[in-house]
Amino acid sequence: MKSTKKITKHLRPLLLSTLLLGSAVHAEVRPLDRVVAIVDNDVIMQSQLDQRLHEVEQTISKRGAQLPPREQLNAQVMERLILENIQLQMGERAGIRIGDEELSQAMSTIAQRNGLTLEQFKAALARDGLSFDDAREQVRREMIISRVRQRVVADRIQISDHEVQNFLASDLGKLQLSEEFRLANITIPLPDGASPEMIQAAERDVLEIYRQLRAGTDFAQLAIARSAGETALEGGEIGWRKAAQLPPPFDGLVSRLSVGGVTEPVRTPGGYIIIKLLEKRGGSAHQVRDEVHVRHILIKPSEIRSEAEVRALIERIYERIQNGEDFAELAKSFSEDPGSALNGGDLNWIDPNALVPEFREVMANTPAGQLSRPFKTPFGWHVLEVLGRRATDSSTQVREQQALNMLRNRKYDEELQSWLRQIRDEAYVETKL
């Protein structure tokens, strides 16, 4: 039903009626489905709309929320399908494919995140009236859309060094990048207007608890048994907090604790509190990270180059390097990574965690001074060479990278919405409802 050329407005109805209703020589025409929207060179069927409506209704019901009027929900779901369809067509033109093996791994990962085996996941879908095959195809579509966005939207976002430094110097930046503490507490309460006797009794209780903690008694056990805090049954754990989010004097006390340490009992308006530091992260503490010096050549699928042609080309480049040709010169001639091609494919020293998992894994398994076999990532096909490895103090770089990620995430949402509006406005859409 698809064409390599854009179907004109006048040809679409004729083409679609021929495909869906069949030849006029048939004595009886009984269409099993109908078109509810034409989107550029593709269509959305009533069955697709009905299926997605069912899935959305199931999700809303599980959350215990009230369903909106059917007409409003129908319009929302239709708009979502139209946007998805536009992006899927972009993915097809760009040669983005999700193989069965990769898709199966994604389905297994989804099941594991929900604490289920794959068979249990299938059964859970069936209980909700959903087909595993339909769910699998929806995940495939979502993966393609994600890669389209990664290619297009991410490339539209530019963050300058000046923006990063301004963010780091701002009060918001200092707060967001400050050290975080995972805490637990034990609370011995005191009512308003407590008598001296009540205060003395509470003080005796909290000092006895503190003595037991110093002697090695488990904090969570004592919190469950003795604390009056809201999270007592969770071992007193209250989650991650920044020092600035804690009232005095806990902001200063927690900052000076070592992991596993507890504060002395502190009197507050609501009673006595003991805090334990379970874990900490972030901040400007000395940080050492592993870095890899790597260079690569990237070849991307496109409208004029199929996946098979891309793979054949990267294989030829690999063989030429193996036969002694200069990696840097080949990268300048062939690589489609604009950030590194002119530098001979050199990515310089890089934190592996900044790379997509597929690239990171191949890089980790390639010894220094050696060339990898051609491999695929969401960006296309690569060949890489590891030039060296080192451990470095990266406290400043880590903070700058954290700031860059925060600014990028903030801009990504804005840029994504702008891009979605743009592609929706540029698309030919004709609804049939």
Side-chain angles (χ1 to χ4, degrees), residues 54 121 147 163 177 183 225 279 300 366 388 397 408 416:
H54 176 65
F121 183 46
R147 291 185 182 176
E163 287 179 276
L177 294 173
L183 306 171
E279 190 179 353
K300 300 178 181 180
T366 303
Q397 293 91 329
R408 187 179 295 278
L416 175 61

Side-chain angles (χ1 to χ4, degrees), residues 31 48 54 100 111 118 143 153 169 190-191 208 221 234 305-306 314 324 327 333 374 393 405 409 432:
Q48 292 174 276
H54 176 65
D100 288 340
L118 196 57
M143 292 173 72
V153 180
L190 278 172
E208 173 57 22
Q221 178 184 340
E234 288 75 45
R305 184 191 291 144
S306 68
I314 199 71
F327 188 111
S333 299
D393 180 1
N405 291 341
N409 290 339
K432 300 284 187 176

Side-chain angles (χ1 to χ4, degrees), residues 176-235:
Q176 292 191 351
L177 294 173
S178 63
E179 198 168 21
E180 286 186 296
F181 308 95
R182 188 164 70 90
L183 306 171
N185 72 356
I186 293 174
T187 301
I188 303 300
L190 278 172
D192 292 338
S195 66
E197 292 77 13
M198 295 171 70
I199 295 173
Q200 289 175 5
E203 186 174 351
R204 284 195 300 271
D205 285 347
V206 78
L207 288 174
E208 173 57 22
I209 291 170
Y210 182 65
R211 185 193 65 77
Q212 292 182 47
L213 290 171
R214 295 295 299 270
T217 304
D218 182 65
F219 189 97
Q221 178 184 340
L222 282 171
I224 293 170
R226 307 286 295 275
S227 179
E230 292 182 1
T231 60
L233 294 179
E234 288 75 45

Side-chain angles (χ1 to χ4, degrees), residues 49 68 70-81:
L49 178 60
R70 180 75 179 197
E71 184 177 338
Q72 293 179 8
L73 185 61
N74 196 73
Q76 286 274 44
V77 172
M78 173 65 88
E79 188 61 27
R80 176 67 62 85
L81 286 172

Side-chain angles (χ1 to χ4, degrees), residues 163-178:
E163 287 179 276
V164 171
Q165 296 306 321
N166 281 348
F167 180 76
L168 288 171
S170 70
D171 291 339
L172 177 62
K174 290 175 182 176
L175 175 62
Q176 292 191 351
L177 294 173
S178 63

